[in-house]
Amino acid sequence: MKTKTANRTYFMVQAAAIAAIYTVLTMVFAPLSFGAVQFRISEALCILPFFTPAAIPGVALGCLLSNLLCGAAALDVIFGSIATLIGAVGSYAVRGTKWAVCLPPIISNTLIIPWVLRYAYGSEDMIWFAMITVGIGEILAIGVLGNLLMAALEPLRKVVFRKTAV
């Protein structure tokens, strides 16, 4: 019974640490993290479901906290966090194919965030144009930085990201 409790504790600590790192990265780089052309460095963490399921609530909670603490509009807090959650669940679902892990968060944010920008902030950009600009930011943050992070963490996979049960 202690093992199950220890695994749950480990899962919660991992999720909380990921949420904290996501939040800090977003806040430190806040000028780049928000707006029609955004480059959210914290989005690189969206590859972490490849290593641990604790990253799913971790990045979603990190996005929620970041948006709340940085004064984002209510629709952004809600739907931005949902976009990140969808991306994290998708990354976990395709974790067997390493190269595909970055695709779900790139796709979910590219499809959802332009609508958030339109309805939460009154952006007058064409939706397709916003999808291009958001998509480029996501490709850079997740596709480039995320894959670099994945390569850097790969040697630590068995030590840091041991199996956890929910």
Side-chain angles (χ1 to χ4, degrees):
M1 207 46 112
K2 284 185 179 183
T3 303
K4 191 172 186 177
T5 302
N7 281 343
R8 283 189 179 163
T9 302
Y10 193 74
F11 181 93
M12 289 190 303
V13 168
Q14 276 186 340
I18 291 166
I21 294 167
Y22 186 106
T23 303
V24 168
L25 285 172
T26 303
M27 293 178 77
V28 166
F29 297 102
L32 297 172
S33 299
F34 296 92
V37 178
Q38 54 184 262
F39 178 65
R40 204 177 260 205
I41 291 170
S42 53
E43 284 287 293
L45 300 178
C46 289
I47 58 87
L48 292 179
F50 174 76
F51 297 100
T52 176
I56 297 169
V59 295
L61 181 59
C63 182
L64 178 78
L65 289 171
S66 297
N67 288 343
L68 279 172
L69 294 172
C70 290
L75 288 174
D76 195 0
V77 172
I78 295 165
F79 291 102
S81 302
I82 289 171
T84 299
L85 177 62
I86 291 168
V89 169
S91 289
Y92 185 74
V94 299
R95 70 191 180 281
T97 308
K98 189 175 181 178
W99 63 266
V101 171
C102 66
L103 295 177
I106 290 171
I107 293 167
S108 67
N109 282 293
T110 299
L111 294 176
I112 295 170
I113 299 305
W115 297 97
V116 171
L117 295 173
R118 165 72 56 89
Y119 293 107
Y121 300 104
S123 172
E124 294 183 15
D125 289 338
M126 300 291 288
I127 293 296
W128 64 267
F129 180 75
M131 285 182 177
I132 291 170
T133 61
V134 169
I136 289 169
E138 291 296 311
I139 289 168
L140 292 173
I142 301 167
V144 176
L145 291 181
N147 278 308
L148 289 172
L149 178 62
M150 187 183 305
L153 293 176
E154 185 66 35
L156 304 173
R157 187 175 192 174
K158 291 182 181 174
V159 178
V160 177
F161 299 106
R162 63 181 173 93
K163 294 229 185 232
T164 56
V166 183

